[in-house]
Amino acid sequence: MTFLAKPKVRHPSLPKNSLGLTRRDYEGSMSTLCAGCGHDSITAAVIEACWGLALEPQNLVKLSGIGCSSKTTAYFVGGGHGFNSVHGRMPSIAMGANAANRDLTYIGVSGDGDTLSIGLGQFCHAIRRNLNMLYIIENNGVYGLTKGQFSASADVGTQAKRGEVNRQPPIDPVLLALTLGAPFVARSFSGDKQQLVPLIQAGIRHRGFAMIDVLSPCVTFNDHEGSTKSYAYAREHYDPAVNADFVPFAREITADYSAGESLPIVMHDGSRIVLKKIAPDYDPTDRIAAMAKIQAGMRRQEFLTGMLYLGRGDREFHDLNEMPQTPLNAIPYGQLTPGSKGLDKILARFR
Amino acid sequence: MQDRTNDFALKIATVNGTGSASANTLLMKSIFRSGIPVMGKNYFPSNIQGLPTWYEIRVSHNGYVARSGQIDLMVAMNAETYARDVREVASGGYLLYDSTWPRPTVFNRQDITILGVPLAQMCNENFDGLRTRILMKNICYAGVLAALLDLDLERIRELLAETYAKKPKLVDANMRAIDLGYGYARKHLHCPLPLKVAPLSQTANHIMIDGNTAAGLGCLYAGATVAAWYPITPSTSLMDAYKAFADKWRVDKATGKKNFAFIQAEDELAAIGMVLGAAWNGARAFTATSGPGISLMGEFIGLAYYAEVPAVIFDVQRVGPSTGMPTRTQQCDVLSAAYASHGDTKHVLLLPRDPEECFYFARDAFDLAERLQTPVMVLSDLDIGMNDWPCPDLKWDDSYQPDRGKVLSAEQISKLEKFQRYLDADGDGIPYRTLPGAHPKGAYFTRGSGHNQYGGYTEDAAEYQLVIDRLVHKFQTAKTLVPRPVVDRNPRVDIGLIAYGSSDGAVREARDLLRARGININYLRVRAFPFGEEVEQFLEQHRLLFVVDQNRDAQMRSLLTLETRVEKAKLRSLLHYSGLPISSEFIVAGVLAEVGTAARVVGVSA
Ligand SMILES: Cc1ncc(C[n+]2csc(CCOP(=O)(O)OP(=O)(O)O)c2C)c(N)n1
Ligand code: SF4
Ligand SMILES: [Mg+2]
């Protein structure tokens, strides 16, 4: 199997963003995933989101671990720099890359296996450092690439394709991220592009760690009856609580949000996320209340989706570490060395 | 005992956590400042308080830095280890103990002189508080030694004044303890001993520094901006040193912002990941660890090798296997570092012999990692990393510019038809790379999965092999770039010895001792892997070769047999793996056992 370059067909009628680029310009190489795989829909949403934001492709860094989900960074924004690392350890690559150059946009794509088992430690610590990135979990409840074993997000009672029933409680990335203090926590479904695209856009523009857990059915190993991560089950138990609209800086808020149910939140760069509350009693700015509601939903076998929590004014990694605006990789060498004169001073201590 | 001025070894046996380190440093530095080459080695337990600790000081006008293998004066301050400490004193030597309590029965040797000083009693009478009394007892033995060894009291006062510049009261208290010991010894003991120091002028333009500090300083000078690590003895102080230097020299005066990122990772898996991410993105990045960390980093090291990402890793080796003895020294990671990770991988290793080389090799490691786009490991060890060594002043050439390797600028990329990440455009096995964000045409996909020379995914046999074979070619190129070995060879001598790293001091002394017995052996000190042509030649030129390894399994010998043309049968291993630094005595004995009498040695010159 070789690398397939997607032929770029130019259609003069295709809509262009402010950079003059069409959606096609944000595509990557041809997906090699199974037809119908939820991950491909998420790829499409990422393409739409990046096009909509008019991101300069070369300023996008796409990071991933290992899994079907992690392969998808090759399938969007071919003009961005990709780093497909090792299983479960994308967060550390993202951390190092981000420390070296804060000016780029970092999107990490991971799977439930990649994040919640082998990579659980790195995921947690990326949150603790408030690494400025968008972290997408393409959550299908199984290890797709190794052929369908249960992952740590598999619900109790869910059934594997071969009949085995899971008895171990799941790790919920949303609750975990909330517990660890993540400033931006969302959940969505690969089948709901409407909801997902603005969330991705908001997550990219958000300063600090933004996590979106996206339910993304694996058609090959986890889309049967008895599975709680199938398309059918997801549609049935899907419960949007707070949808988000992303409004880039300098664009008017035009939609009609009825008072009390919408909440515009201004982001660091001046753009806004307008939260549209579908469940009026849900408060996405109260971490504790959000956690209670999410858990209550789980008890009813419903999975709440949307912008579940959005904190304000968090200090991300560079702020916390008092680092300069200039990316470290752009500081001229002359400013990094004390030179021979400095060395004389330093050596005095060792005489 | 004959006069042993400026040529002896003393050992101080104490309990860790009692503040003996400051007394020992005081002694050593006062000797150093009197112009006499001196080396201190700390043998400490993997524990915070209450276990036996030894400190060995070698005073040598010859500048020998290794353990001689003989102790002339033992300061026995730990009753728990009396029995073994008294055994260790060389015949004709001395033992000093605290005579506050009756003389222990284990001190029953007739062939050594036993000296008693009531240290605890004197300190109890002169100082208040348990903690102070314990601390001052240590300073007090330093006072006794000052009298016995004829140290310069003024130097001691000067050092105390520097150490406690901000707490003048402590200077007085410490000096009082020194005077107590000094006065008692002058009055009751025969001072000075034949083991004594006399001022020389051999330490001008020298410093005393440990290898970890020197390496941390080297990273600062190399322009490293991202440091990620997970604490592990004996590498921790390297990161501490880098951070301390960076906090002082890398903070922007105008803004107060830090021109570096110092990240304590959640484990070594993450530490190396951060280094790769940062280096991939154009920063100079490094980590420091020890054996267990190298094991954990394996998978990422393989990714860096295959995806061609620079990385600098300091491995300050300690005793393995497993947790082993974390505070003891060995050179036991040579093979696991050289071939770290699964699949066909080989890595560049730099092998510093002392702190001076730690400094320069730190700089070289970054240049090599970026030039070769590959991980470079600097294999130091606990002996180099955590002990203070006398070294010539470190020098910095202000014209130095980092070698960032083949990184294409935006302008260069713009002129390309198409960027091809893994193509051997120059025939040296080293491809060109781009940095994220540089230019739209520079984007590529970095992956540890099969890739072709254009950076695309592949599972095609020929495409895969083309890349993996080029990496072999790149490794050949590395041979010409790494630090060359140091060779000392007499063409008429056909016995050679190969050593590396911290064994060098012991080897140099052993060669002098052997020469005094009429045995000459040639010497090659390996400073890097891959081995270059000079190593091959040296191996060819000798009929018999000793290979000195501080590990059980003769790892360097294995590496030589695997990676050079040498016939295995010519190589004889001298293996030292007790956890203590190797001694010159050990090497002399090993060589003598093999070559027997001098008569058997071919080509011995007078
Ligand atoms: C160290 C290591 N162990 C095991 C594997 C094998 N492996 C590859 S993908 C995968 C699980 C992926 O699951 P997930 O992250 O959920 O991705 P999905 O395929 O479901 O999208 C495993 C165990 C590996 N690549 N590396
Ligand atoms: S195995 Fe499952 S997760 Fe993997 S590509 Fe196929 S459908 Fe998607
Ligand atoms: Mg999965």
Side-chain angles (χ1 to χ4, degrees):
Chain A
M1 188 171 47
T2 43
F3 171 86
L4 296 176
K6 233 188 240 185
K8 283 214 185 330
V9 189
R10 301 255 167 218
H11 260 287
S13 58
L14 285 178
K16 292 182 174 158
N17 63 15
S18 60
L19 295 176
L21 300 175
T22 68
R23 287 181 174 81
R24 284 282 163 82
D25 295 313
Y26 288 84
E27 291 177 352
S29 58
M30 196 84 84
S31 169
T32 57
L33 303 185
C34 308
C37 175
H39 300 349
D40 276 337
S41 309
I42 302 172
T43 298
V46 173
I47 291 170
E48 180 67 26
C50 292
W51 174 78
L53 289 178
L55 281 186
E56 299 234 29
Q58 80 272 16
N59 290 339
L60 180 68
V61 173
K62 311 170 293 174
L63 306 131
S64 57
I66 299 289
C68 297
S69 36
S70 292
K71 286 183 177 187
T72 63
T73 46
Y75 311 146
F76 60 82
V77 196
H81 281 252
F83 198 144
N84 181 211
S85 67
V86 297
H87 195 20
R89 277 154 283 170
M90 169 266 278
S92 59
I93 295 285
M95 179 68 261
N98 191 291
N101 187 353
R102 63 186 298 172
D103 282 355
L104 305 177
T105 297
Y106 295 87
I107 300 183
V109 178
S110 179
D112 42 322
D114 199 64
T115 292
L116 299 176
S117 290
I118 192 166
L120 188 64
Q122 298 214 345
F123 172 66
C124 293
H125 289 273
I127 294 176
R128 292 185 59 230
R129 294 189 185 96
N130 202 8
L131 169 55
N132 186 12
M133 72 179 297
L134 168 62
Y135 191 107
I136 299 175
I137 303 175
E138 303 190 344
N139 190 344
N140 54 16
V142 289
Y143 293 180
L145 194 58
T146 53
K147 299 194 186 269
Q149 301 82 0
F150 283 130
S151 80
S153 77
D155 297 304
V156 172
T158 191
Q159 213 172 356
K161 206 174 176 186
R162 282 187 229 128
E164 191 192 342
V165 175
N166 174 51
R167 300 283 174 217
Q168 296 183 66
I171 299 173
D172 179 37
V174 162
L175 287 173
L176 181 62
L178 284 169
T179 310
L180 292 168
F184 179 119
V185 181
R187 174 134 55 204
S188 192
F189 170 42
S190 62
D192 188 354
K193 209 170 167 185
Q194 208 76 335
Q195 184 191 56
L196 187 53
V197 172
L199 282 177
I200 293 173
Q201 292 181 329
I204 288 174
R205 281 286 185 253
H206 174 264
R207 205 168 123 110
F209 195 85
M211 186 209 75
I212 312 177
D213 175 45
V214 190
L215 196 88
S216 176
C218 167
V219 288
T220 305
F221 297 109
N222 206 11
D223 196 32
H224 46 272
E225 203 169 323
S227 157
T228 60
K229 297 260 193 299
S230 64
Y231 278 110
Y233 191 95
R235 293 223 162 84
E236 205 164 304
H237 297 81
Y238 189 67
D239 186 12
V242 184
N243 278 349
D245 256 1
F246 179 75
V247 188
F249 180 57
R251 201 189 299 158
E252 275 304 305
I253 301 179
T254 50
D256 53 332
Y257 301 116
S258 47
E261 293 191 355
S262 79
L263 182 65
I265 293 185
V266 181
M267 321 264 300
H268 210 269
D269 65 349
S271 45
R272 275 152 296 181
I273 302 177
V274 182
L275 302 178
K276 295 186 291 180
K277 295 206 268 176
I278 295 161
D281 60 340
Y282 191 96
D283 183 358
T285 62
D286 181 338
R287 188 185 293 274
I288 306 294
M291 287 169 81
K293 282 271 187 265
I294 293 162
Q295 276 175 312
M298 281 176 167
R299 218 172 300 134
R300 297 190 305 271
Q301 316 239 302
E302 282 169 357
F303 74 101
L304 288 187
T305 64
M307 185 71 251
L308 298 177
Y309 175 75
L310 185 58
R312 294 172 191 229
D314 264 292
R315 281 150 56 81
E316 56 94 41
F317 174 83
H318 290 83
D319 308 322
L320 294 168
N321 289 282
E322 295 165 73
M323 286 164 65
Q325 281 306 320
T326 314
L328 290 184
N329 74 354
I331 299 173
Y333 173 68
Q335 288 175 35
L336 299 176
T337 166
S340 59
K341 283 215 182 79
L343 193 55
D344 286 344
K345 281 193 198 137
I346 290 168
L347 295 189
R349 210 179 89 204
F350 303 99
R351 296 193 189 282
Chain B
M1 182 183 263
Q2 85 228 51
D3 177 27
R4 297 278 300 281
T5 303
N6 294 338
D7 181 21
F8 59 91
L10 71 113
K11 194 166 177 179
I12 300 156
T14 52
V15 173
N16 76 325
T18 58
S20 53
S22 43
N24 301 337
T25 308
L26 190 65
L27 284 168
M28 202 173 57
K29 273 220 160 170
S30 70
I31 298 171
F32 180 74
R33 287 210 183 163
S34 299
I36 307 145
V38 60
M39 166 85 207
K41 290 189 196 286
N42 195 5
Y43 312 132
F44 59 106
S46 179
N47 172 274
I48 304 302
Q49 202 177 59
L51 288 184
T53 301
W54 291 268
Y55 194 76
E56 187 170 332
I57 297 180
R58 176 96 196 258
V59 179
S60 165
H61 56 77
N62 290 314
Y64 294 143
V65 288
R67 283 172 58 229
S68 63
Q70 168 170 327
I71 298 300
D72 305 302
L73 166 59
M74 178 70 73
V75 181
M77 299 292 291
N78 182 5
E80 207 188 307
T81 60
Y82 274 170
R84 60 197 271 194
D85 292 338
V86 69
R87 268 201 308 274
E88 210 185 321
V89 182
S91 194
Y94 299 84
L95 179 139
L96 172 70
Y97 78 108
D98 186 348
S99 61
T100 304
W101 299 278
R103 176 168 157 164
T105 49
V106 289
F107 292 169
N108 55 5
R109 282 181 59 179
Q110 305 304 313
D111 61 331
I112 62 172
T113 309
I114 301 209
L115 311 168
V117 177
L119 295 163
Q121 190 191 328
M122 290 194 298
C123 289
N124 288 351
E125 285 164 9
N126 284 276
F127 297 100
D128 294 324
L130 187 61
R131 181 84 191 137
T132 310
R133 284 172 174 170
I134 292 174
L135 292 176
M136 289 307 166
K137 200 172 80 167
N138 288 324
I139 303 298
C140 198
Y141 76 63
V144 175
L145 289 173
L148 291 175
L149 307 178
D150 209 12
L151 304 184
D152 186 341
L153 279 188
E154 257 327 293
R155 293 250 177 261
I156 293 181
R157 189 189 306 278
E158 162 191 307
L159 281 160
L160 285 172
E162 285 169 26
T163 311
Y164 301 112
K166 292 199 183 96
K167 301 175 194 158
K169 271 206 189 119
L170 279 179
V171 180
D172 293 342
N174 276 275
M175 210 50 218
R176 200 140 52 88
I178 292 281
D179 288 338
L180 277 177
Y182 191 84
Y184 184 96
R186 293 297 290 230
K187 193 160 159 204
H188 300 278
L189 306 175
H190 189 79
C191 296
L193 301 178
L195 316 168
K196 63 178 196 315
V197 304
L200 294 173
S201 54
Q202 293 181 20
T203 61
N205 305 320
H206 278 63
I207 52 169
M208 295 231 61
I209 193 168
D210 65 80
N212 284 350
T213 302
L217 188 60
C219 294
L220 180 85
Y221 271 83
T225 51
V226 178
W229 68 302
Y230 188 74
I232 185 168
T233 304
S235 71
T236 300
S237 57
L238 194 161
M239 301 308 282
D240 289 345
Y242 171 80
K243 174 154 194 310
F245 289 128
D247 277 338
K248 173 138 178 51
W249 297 93
R250 283 282 184 79
V251 177
D252 190 290
K253 288 213 179 64
T255 62
K257 298 291 183 197
K258 296 178 175 176
N259 287 336
F260 66 99
F262 186 80
I263 313 171
Q264 185 179 321
E266 51 272 36
D267 51 34
E268 289 87 347
L269 305 171
I272 184 67
M274 291 172 194
V275 169
L276 297 193
W280 174 78
N281 218 358
R284 285 197 152 186
F286 71 101
T287 187
T289 188
S290 193
I294 292 291
S295 295
L296 283 184
M297 290 179 187
E299 192 180 7
F300 256 143
I301 292 174
L303 173 76
Y305 171 82
Y306 187 35
E308 302 183 63
V309 182
V312 172
I313 303 163
F314 292 88
D315 176 6
V316 188
Q317 298 166 96
R318 67 187 214 183
V319 171
S322 188
T323 302
M325 298 195 284
T327 61
R328 311 290 160 164
T329 196
Q330 259 184 9
Q331 300 174 315
C332 53
D333 299 340
V334 174
L335 287 175
S336 65
Y339 301 119
S341 203
H342 55 279
D344 287 327
T345 57
K346 278 185 198 182
H347 309 291
V348 174
L349 310 180
L350 303 186
L351 307 163
R353 70 167 176 178
D354 62 5
E356 184 189 21
E357 280 192 346
C358 284
F359 177 73
Y360 297 118
F361 282 9
R363 173 201 62 196
D364 297 346
F366 287 97
D367 286 341
L368 286 165
E370 292 195 307
R371 169 61 39 191
L372 293 162
Q373 300 175 25
T374 201
V376 172
M377 283 179 260
V378 184
L379 294 196
S380 167
D381 64 27
L382 184 140
D383 184 21
I384 300 172
M386 291 189 72
N387 288 320
D388 282 330
W389 294 58
C391 293
D393 283 356
L394 304 175
K395 297 264 188 305
W396 191 254
D397 177 357
D398 288 321
S399 69
Y400 169 81
Q401 278 299 321
D403 178 359
R404 307 304 307 262
K406 299 185 188 179
V407 179
L408 294 172
S409 67
E411 202 196 331
Q412 287 170 314
I413 301 169
S414 70
K415 291 185 185 139
L416 293 176
E417 171 91 34
K418 192 169 177 352
F419 170 60
Q420 291 163 333
R421 173 64 178 99
Y422 294 115
L423 197 69
D424 187 6
D426 300 337
D428 57 2
I430 308 172
Y432 284 84
R433 67 177 185 131
T434 57
L435 298 182
H439 190 277
K441 277 206 285 185
Y444 70 101
F445 199 84
T446 302
R447 45 163 72 81
S449 44
H451 46 266
N452 59 28
Q453 51 182 340
Y454 312 111
Y457 180 85
T458 191
E459 292 183 22
D460 178 87
E463 285 191 339
Y464 162 79
Q465 256 175 265
L466 209 57
V467 172
I468 211 82
D469 288 343
R470 179 182 49 74
L471 289 173
V472 174
H473 183 32
K474 183 165 87 168
F475 210 61
Q476 294 294 328
T477 301
K479 288 182 177 179
T480 64
L481 300 176
V482 298
R484 293 171 48 196
V486 177
V487 183
D488 182 8
R489 174 174 166 262
N490 173 347
R492 287 184 300 156
V493 173
D494 65 357
I495 297 180
L497 183 147
I498 294 180
Y500 60 102
S502 65
S503 298
D504 177 65
V507 171
R508 280 186 295 140
E509 180 176 359
R511 289 181 74 216
D512 290 349
L513 295 171
L514 288 165
R515 199 173 295 121
R517 289 166 171 257
I519 299 175
N520 276 353
I521 45 176
N522 289 335
Y523 179 30
L524 176 137
R525 181 164 66 90
V526 179
R527 299 203 300 166
F529 176 69
F531 308 121
E533 210 32 53
E534 282 160 293
V535 174
E536 294 277 10
Q537 276 173 18
F538 190 84
L539 291 167
E540 263 160 37
Q541 284 156 348
H542 297 87
R543 77 175 162 83
L544 178 67
L545 289 139
F546 294 96
V547 183
V548 180
D549 260 305
Q550 294 187 57
N551 56 64
R552 184 195 68 181
D553 289 349
Q555 297 191 24
M556 181 56 77
R557 178 169 175 262
S558 295
L559 198 60
L560 287 165
T561 54
L562 289 167
E563 300 284 347
T564 70
R565 301 183 291 265
V566 72
E567 285 165 50
K568 202 170 162 182
K570 288 207 307 194
L571 304 179
R572 298 281 183 283
S573 272
L574 299 180
L575 305 175
H576 191 279
Y577 48 92
S578 66
L580 290 177
I582 192 169
S583 67
S584 51
E585 187 185 49
F586 175 85
I587 293 170
V588 170
V591 170
L592 287 179
E594 180 69 32
V595 297
T597 58
R600 277 186 52 205
V601 183
V602 182
V604 171
S605 54

